[in-house]
Amino acid sequence: MIEIFATAEEAIADVPDGSTIMCGGFGLCGVPENLVRALGAKGTRNLTVISNNAGVDTFGLGGLLANGQVKKILGSYFRSSEICARLQASGALEVELLPQGTMVERIRAAGAGVFGVYLPTGVGTCVAEGKEVRLFGATECVLEYPLAADYAFIRAYQGDRLGNLVYRKTARNFNPVMAKAARITIAEVEEIVEVGELDPEVIVTPGIFVKRLVKGARYERRIE
Amino acid sequence: MSGESSKTRIARRAAREVRDGYYVNLGIGIPTMIPAVLPEGMTVLFHSENGILGMGPPPSPGEEDADLVDAGKRAITAVPGASYLCSDDSFALVRGGHLDLAILGAFQVSERGDLANWSLPGRLTGIGGAMDLVAGTRRIVVTMEHTTRDGQPKILRECTYPLTGRRVVNLIITELATIEITERGLLLKEIAPGVSVDEVQRATEAPLTVDRWLTLME
């Protein structure tokens, strides 16, 4: 079951070099900023990061990139990150671009025990190159494989002491689906509440998907 | 004609593609101007793929909420009846064909409806949800200026930029014309006041067939 940590630093203390880490958030919205900051301070290296975006240079994953901690990043949109472009151009960072819906469905598949999905997205474009394409009726689809991680860093609004989570507005985004797709999911929340305080009807992520919980010490609430 | 006013006219024309009761996704650029020019009294729910169905206008200054943004990462509001979606549901409704319409910008469109709207050639840095939207949405309308800044055609026989999808565009709306993509190529349906068919053809690489009921763009 779940373990509750006092600080983000303790919650990520065992993350080894070479880990694959999923990171929730869309742009700067719903990013597990305390966990990312702690990983930056710890200096873990050779990371493979799966995240829709790469933050901006002064916030979120941008810090890990600037520290040279990331060897590869997979996601759908990195245009806001100067540092990502610079590292990619110099060969210091491998970048894999995915259509956003394909990315999320591959993550969903990993969490749901689905071993391959045929998706119509990207047929006839560069993202389908070298992949199996199969015709279903009149629709061509690309075979895509699950995308899993060692750790998922996610952010929620409230979590109870069993790890049940609720989110706030569009800060939900990738967080619930990533919570299911990692061996160890670490959730940072703005508030930890007692068991029973969250209405079971509105819990989005049941605690079974969450291994570690920590209350974030500081939230910048930036708009990109 | 100034750039600003031609974009507004494109948005006004595109707004007529939106029907009462529609679920609609709007791309960045000109499409974001459409909600402001929709007729009063229509019930339309706008989807933004980061995870909201029922996106409202930008908040008043000082009322921005960092937890409430659109796919362009701008602060937004939620209308009554809105819902928030996790990313997997957000793309289930896209890929599953549940949207009625998506109105998107473009760099290039081919005469068969191929769309290039996510990257210039060279370093490829962001796809976002564009490929999913065109793969799943039943009707794709492109709004764009008819030519590039230096006057080169953007409606081509073949796209030269990286593709978003093949044979996906249904209608192109520019400041010069409204063009439908048909099985037999481009059909010029409407033309802007003061513009000749020859002028539209000269600004378009692919051949145009003039619709027998060609009308003036309003």
Side-chain angles (χ1 to χ4, degrees):
Chain A
M1 269 195 182
I2 192 154
E3 205 175 341
I4 298 178
F5 288 80
T7 67
E9 288 71 19
E10 292 166 81
I12 59 103
D14 67 342
V15 176
D17 288 355
S19 297
T20 296
I21 298 177
M22 260 173 207
C23 190
F26 185 99
L28 305 182
C29 180
V31 171
E33 55 188 277
N34 289 278
L35 295 170
V36 171
R37 206 157 33 225
L39 197 66
K42 177 167 134 67
T44 313
R45 303 186 69 82
N46 272 325
L47 298 170
T48 297
V49 172
I50 301 165
S51 170
N52 190 57
N53 312 92
V56 294
D57 290 359
T58 56
F59 186 79
L61 293 170
L64 300 187
L65 292 170
N67 291 346
Q69 293 173 258
V70 182
K71 68 171 181 199
K72 179 173 181 182
I73 187 162
L74 299 91
S76 93
Y77 196 92
F78 300 127
R79 211 168 286 162
S80 318
S81 171
E82 298 271 332
I83 186 123
C84 185
R86 213 159 49 235
L87 292 171
Q88 185 185 11
S90 75
L93 177 69
E94 189 185 341
V95 174
E96 188 172 338
L97 267 188
L98 312 167
Q100 199 173 321
T102 295
M103 172 181 169
V104 73
E105 195 59 19
R106 290 179 60 191
I107 295 169
R108 199 194 69 80
V114 175
F115 289 82
V117 285
Y118 284 97
L119 302 177
T121 304
V123 170
T125 77
C126 62
V127 302
E129 279 168 21
K131 294 177 181 171
E132 180 190 324
V133 173
R134 186 165 158 183
L135 194 62
F136 293 85
T139 306
E140 286 185 307
C141 292
V142 187
L143 174 60
E144 298 282 358
Y145 292 100
L147 195 54
D150 301 313
Y151 295 85
F153 288 4
I154 68 159
R155 147 101 169 260
Y157 172 47
Q158 292 175 316
D160 71 17
R161 293 181 177 280
L162 283 171
N164 296 305
L165 304 177
V166 297
Y167 300 85
R168 195 168 173 275
K169 303 186 177 181
T170 57
R172 181 183 306 198
N173 57 62
F174 283 85
N175 289 299
V177 69
M178 286 181 169
K180 303 171 191 169
R183 201 164 46 78
I184 296 174
T185 290
I186 311 176
E188 64 165 75
V189 295
E190 294 177 44
E191 189 184 357
I192 296 179
V193 301
E194 295 306 319
V195 171
E197 284 188 45
L198 299 179
D199 179 354
E201 295 282 7
V202 305
I203 289 169
V204 175
T205 299
I208 190 169
F209 297 116
V210 181
K211 294 284 188 297
R212 301 177 187 175
L213 184 70
V214 64
K215 182 178 183 305
R218 178 160 66 88
Y219 287 104
E220 285 194 32
R221 317 197 70 80
R222 266 211 238 177
I223 298 178
E224 190 169 332
Chain B
M1 89 186 68
S2 78
E4 188 56 35
S5 74
S6 72
K7 285 183 181 175
T8 306
R9 284 195 294 118
I10 295 169
R12 276 188 202 290
R13 174 60 189 82
R16 289 176 41 216
E17 298 300 309
V18 180
R19 307 259 189 278
D20 197 23
Y22 266 19
Y23 292 100
V24 180
N25 183 291
L26 300 175
I28 55 172
I30 296 171
T32 59
M33 301 163 67
I34 290 169
V37 298
L38 271 188
E40 298 273 332
M42 282 169 73
T43 303
V44 177
L45 286 189
F46 291 102
H47 169 249
S48 200
E49 60 269 25
N50 61 312
I52 180 171
L53 191 58
M55 174 174 58
S60 318
E63 300 289 309
E64 297 89 352
D65 181 344
D67 288 339
L68 185 49
V69 300
D70 68 5
K73 299 156 191 168
R74 290 170 299 256
I76 54 164
T77 53
V79 300
S83 50
Y84 300 115
L85 306 156
C86 48
S87 296
D88 46 337
D89 277 346
S90 191
F91 281 91
L93 76 80
V94 168
R95 232 182 7 245
H98 301 278
L99 290 172
D100 296 293
L101 173 67
I103 305 178
L104 307 172
F107 296 129
Q108 297 177 333
V109 182
S110 85
E111 62 183 338
R112 286 182 308 279
D114 297 349
L115 173 68
N117 80 341
W118 68 276
S119 183
L120 302 175
R123 206 159 34 73
L124 310 178
T125 54
I127 298 172
M131 288 188 181
D132 307 286
L133 279 165
V134 301
T137 309
R138 63 181 72 123
R139 183 163 169 81
I140 301 289
V141 172
V142 161
T143 55
M144 65 178 186
E145 291 180 288
H146 205 95
T147 57
T148 63
R149 278 201 194 93
D150 49 5
Q152 296 303 306
K154 295 163 75 173
I155 305 170
L156 307 170
R157 285 183 168 276
E158 293 281 352
C159 295
T160 57
Y161 290 179
L163 287 183
T164 310
R166 289 189 191 274
R167 296 178 178 267
V168 293
V169 177
N170 302 105
L171 189 73
I172 307 169
I173 299 170
T174 76
E175 76 283 14
L176 299 184
T178 303
I179 298 169
E180 193 178 301
I181 314 258
T182 72
E183 284 299 311
R184 294 195 290 176
L186 302 176
L187 186 64
L188 180 62
K189 300 279 291 182
E190 299 171 7
I191 195 160
V195 177
S196 72
V197 170
D198 279 351
E199 283 172 278
V200 179
Q201 181 62 76
R202 274 200 299 276
T204 309
E205 186 196 77
L208 297 169
T209 303
V210 180
D211 190 87
R212 55 192 294 205
W213 292 289
L214 179 71
T215 54
L216 273 184
M217 285 174 89
E218 282 174 25

